[in-house]
Amino acid sequence: MSRLRYLTSKLAQEIDEELMNSSGAFSLDQLMELAGLACAQTLATVYDREKFRKVLVCCGPGNQGGDGLVAARHLAMFGYEPTVYMPKPGSKDIYQRLQQQCTNCAIPTISTNEELKRQLLPDKSDCILDAIFGFSFKPPVRAPFDEVLPLLNNSKLPIVSVDIPSGWDVEKGPVELKTNEGTTVGDGLNADVLISLTAPKEGVMSFRGRHFLGGRFVPKILAEKYALNLPDYPGFAQIVELPSNSAL
Amino acid sequence: MSRLRYLTSKLAQEIDEELMNSSGAFSLDQLMELAGLACAQTLATVYDREKFRKVLVCCGPGNQGGDGLVAARHLAMFGYEPTVYMPKPGSKDIYQRLQQQCTNCAIPTISTNEELKRQLLPDKSDCILDAIFGFSFKPPVRAPFDEVLPLLNNSKLPIVSVDIPSGWDVEKGPVELKTNEGTTVGDGLNADVLISLTAPKEGVMSFRGRHFLGGRFVPKILAEKYALNLPDYPGFAQIVELPSNSAL
């Protein structure tokens, strides 16, 4: 079998657009629902709800933040106790609906860094779902996330990242990360687990943790057009674990 | 634990509306995606793809037809070879998009009864997913479905029905079914497997086959308001098998 293709940021955006245009005809609602479900299932596969019940779901301002909101809702359905941290909700109507759905499921939402710091105190959170930056991320990292990334790393909590650990370069991986003002804030999140959606991005080639793939909705014709060489998913699962890079 | 609640047609519609209004805030796209996924997973749980690869997915003109289209797409992703039979596509924009998504996944669609008869010939289909009539069905059964239901029964193929075997009374179960012209066309489909969405309907109390529940998206507050007494779903599954009525 040919090797799984790793995508540039540009190609990931192109495929995402095709999924919603002629080759896919999907709505954003559909894709986010399946993507968020895959994220929740990945976390639930690695961190069982007895030991890691309290999940801090960190959502960015873009589409990945929407995936995070969907994941938080499914995690609540799975018996976890998620808390959403979303300092900058996206402006699209869909974010408001997804936030309302979380509220209807009694999921608390926090938005300030003070609240975040409290949520990172011992016994408040057992693990983190990082849905802050996705495949469209371009440095520098802007406030409040310049403070947020080091806070999350310093918590030493296990981190599951979506698509790319937040702060990593989508193509180059972990690189020294600067704020608007030129301050260095490390090289992005130290993720333990990764869930790549549709196909992995070039920047995660050096990722050494457990790596899952989600997005069992890519039409064969699209997968072939871009030579994605996707692996087979087992049974009727929505995620598949990829061989660890550490074995390479 | 209290007993699972069986819904009247009216109550099922009321809960469906609440899911999309204040208590749920879900979009139809989201609910259909999760419902169709649950249908596909139910079929895949009972009829494995090696022996039952060719699935005839029969879609009605209402929302349940949309669930069927979503299920057909997921079945294709699971490695089945679905064919969609949809003689009367719904008029809403979402049906056109869902049909386009099936076309993009190279799923053939048929629409006439002649095509249906050919599709029911030996070696053309291994099992049927019945997404024709849902919880809003009111007799009499109209053309072309007055011919379709007996055709499907006579095929002797295994049938997985969504919510209620098509032709059954949503509250009374299998009753003598008449066409517009007063001709009797049996008492609905002889389903082998049932997937109830959100909560089972009163009409399936006498159903004796394997019975699954899907719809792991009902907010707790809504489940409590209607005293649904939903069972726990296992792990991060989207469906749960209910104890067989035959054991009652």
Side-chain angles (χ1 to χ4, degrees):
Chain A
M1 196 186 122
S2 302
R3 223 185 135 97
L4 182 63
R5 184 168 186 184
Y6 283 66
L7 306 180
T8 60
S9 175
K10 184 163 172 278
L11 201 53
Q13 288 177 58
E14 193 176 317
I15 293 173
D16 209 47
E17 280 162 23
E18 281 222 37
L19 280 167
M20 288 188 270
N21 294 335
S22 53
S23 306
F26 288 104
S27 69
L28 188 58
D29 280 48
Q30 288 179 292
L31 294 180
M32 271 192 184
E33 195 61 37
L34 295 175
L37 179 60
C39 295
Q41 290 187 338
T42 298
L43 188 141
T45 299
V46 181
Y47 299 111
D48 84 276
R49 72 176 179 196
E50 298 313 320
K51 285 190 188 166
F52 299 90
R53 188 173 293 265
K54 297 174 211 149
V55 186
L56 176 63
V57 181
C58 299
C59 299
N63 280 353
Q64 196 175 94
D67 298 342
L69 290 172
V70 173
R73 169 164 45 81
H74 284 291
L75 285 169
M77 287 288 159
F78 300 164
Y80 289 81
E81 291 173 11
T83 294
V84 166
Y85 165 67
M86 194 175 200
K88 284 184 153 189
S91 53
K92 288 183 198 163
D93 164 67
I94 192 170
Y95 295 98
Q96 289 165 25
R97 288 189 283 111
L98 292 174
Q99 277 196 301
Q100 184 62 46
Q101 289 162 25
C102 284
T103 304
N104 291 343
C105 291
I107 299 170
T109 302
I110 59 175
S111 59
T112 68
N113 281 12
E114 288 315 305
E115 289 170 309
L116 177 64
K117 282 176 197 164
R118 276 199 296 277
Q119 199 63 30
L120 291 169
L121 290 176
D123 302 330
K124 294 290 254 176
S125 300
D126 299 317
C127 61
I128 292 169
L129 181 64
D130 156 35
I132 298 178
F133 298 136
F135 59 73
S136 315
F137 172 70
K138 296 260 183 271
V141 60
R142 292 185 173 76
F145 298 107
D146 53 344
E147 275 190 42
V148 168
L149 300 186
L151 280 174
L152 299 181
N153 272 340
N154 292 339
S155 76
K156 308 288 181 202
L157 292 170
I159 298 176
V160 178
S161 283
V162 181
D163 254 354
I164 185 96
S166 289
W168 286 30
D169 186 285
V170 179
E171 291 168 9
K172 294 180 209 137
V175 293
E176 195 175 77
L177 195 65
K178 288 188 189 294
T179 66
N180 253 342
E181 293 76 31
T183 319
T184 301
V185 287
D187 47 11
L189 287 190
N190 303 322
D192 301 276
V193 178
L194 183 67
I195 163 75
S196 290
L197 296 170
T198 307
K201 315 307 170 286
E202 285 187 353
V204 303
M205 278 188 172
S206 65
F207 180 75
R208 293 283 174 271
R210 288 181 73 177
H211 188 179
F212 295 78
L213 182 68
R216 199 176 186 179
F217 48 67
V218 180
K220 206 173 170 184
I221 193 171
L222 198 62
E224 283 171 359
K225 175 176 172 183
Y226 289 99
L228 298 182
N229 297 315
L230 298 175
D232 289 332
Y233 285 74
F236 50 77
Q238 292 295 296
I239 54 172
V240 54
E241 185 161 7
L242 300 175
S244 173
N245 277 335
S246 59
L248 296 179
Chain B
M1 195 185 124
S2 302
R3 224 183 135 100
L4 183 63
R5 182 167 187 184
Y6 283 67
L7 306 180
T8 60
S9 175
K10 184 162 171 280
L11 201 53
Q13 289 176 57
E14 192 176 317
I15 294 173
D16 210 45
E17 281 161 23
E18 280 223 37
L19 280 167
M20 288 188 270
N21 292 336
S22 54
S23 306
F26 287 104
S27 69
L28 187 58
D29 279 49
Q30 287 180 292
L31 293 179
M32 273 194 183
E33 195 61 37
L34 295 174
L37 179 60
C39 295
Q41 291 187 337
T42 298
L43 188 141
T45 298
V46 181
Y47 299 111
D48 84 275
R49 72 176 180 195
E50 299 312 320
K51 286 189 184 166
F52 299 90
R53 188 173 292 264
K54 297 174 210 150
V55 185
L56 176 62
V57 181
C58 299
C59 299
N63 280 354
Q64 195 173 94
D67 297 342
L69 290 172
V70 173
R73 170 165 44 82
H74 283 291
L75 285 169
M77 287 289 160
F78 300 165
Y80 289 82
E81 290 173 13
T83 295
V84 167
Y85 166 66
M86 193 175 203
K88 285 185 155 190
S91 54
K92 288 183 200 163
D93 163 68
I94 193 169
Y95 295 98
Q96 289 165 27
R97 287 188 283 113
L98 293 174
Q99 278 196 301
Q100 184 61 45
Q101 289 163 24
C102 284
T103 305
N104 291 343
C105 290
I107 299 170
T109 302
I110 58 175
S111 58
T112 69
N113 281 12
E114 289 314 306
E115 289 171 308
L116 177 64
K117 282 175 196 164
R118 278 200 296 277
Q119 199 63 32
L120 291 169
L121 290 176
D123 302 330
K124 293 290 256 176
S125 299
D126 300 316
C127 60
I128 293 169
L129 180 65
D130 156 34
I132 297 178
F133 297 136
F135 60 72
S136 314
F137 172 70
K138 295 259 182 273
V141 59
R142 293 185 172 77
F145 299 106
D146 54 344
E147 277 191 40
V148 168
L149 300 185
L151 280 174
L152 298 182
N153 272 340
N154 292 338
S155 75
K156 307 288 182 204
L157 291 170
I159 298 176
V160 178
S161 283
V162 181
D163 254 354
I164 185 96
S166 289
W168 286 31
D169 186 284
V170 179
E171 291 167 8
K172 293 178 208 138
V175 293
E176 197 175 74
L177 194 65
K178 288 186 189 295
T179 66
N180 250 342
E181 294 76 31
T183 319
T184 300
V185 288
D187 47 11
L189 287 190
N190 304 320
D192 301 274
V193 178
L194 183 67
I195 163 75
S196 290
L197 296 170
T198 305
K201 315 305 169 289
E202 284 187 354
V204 303
M205 277 187 171
S206 65
F207 180 76
R208 292 284 174 269
R210 288 182 72 177
H211 188 180
F212 294 78
L213 182 68
R216 198 176 187 177
F217 47 67
V218 180
K220 205 173 170 185
I221 194 171
L222 198 63
E224 283 171 359
K225 175 177 172 181
Y226 289 99
L228 298 182
N229 297 316
L230 298 175
D232 288 332
Y233 286 74
F236 50 78
Q238 292 296 296
I239 54 173
V240 54
E241 185 161 7
L242 300 174
S244 173
N245 276 336
S246 60
L248 296 180

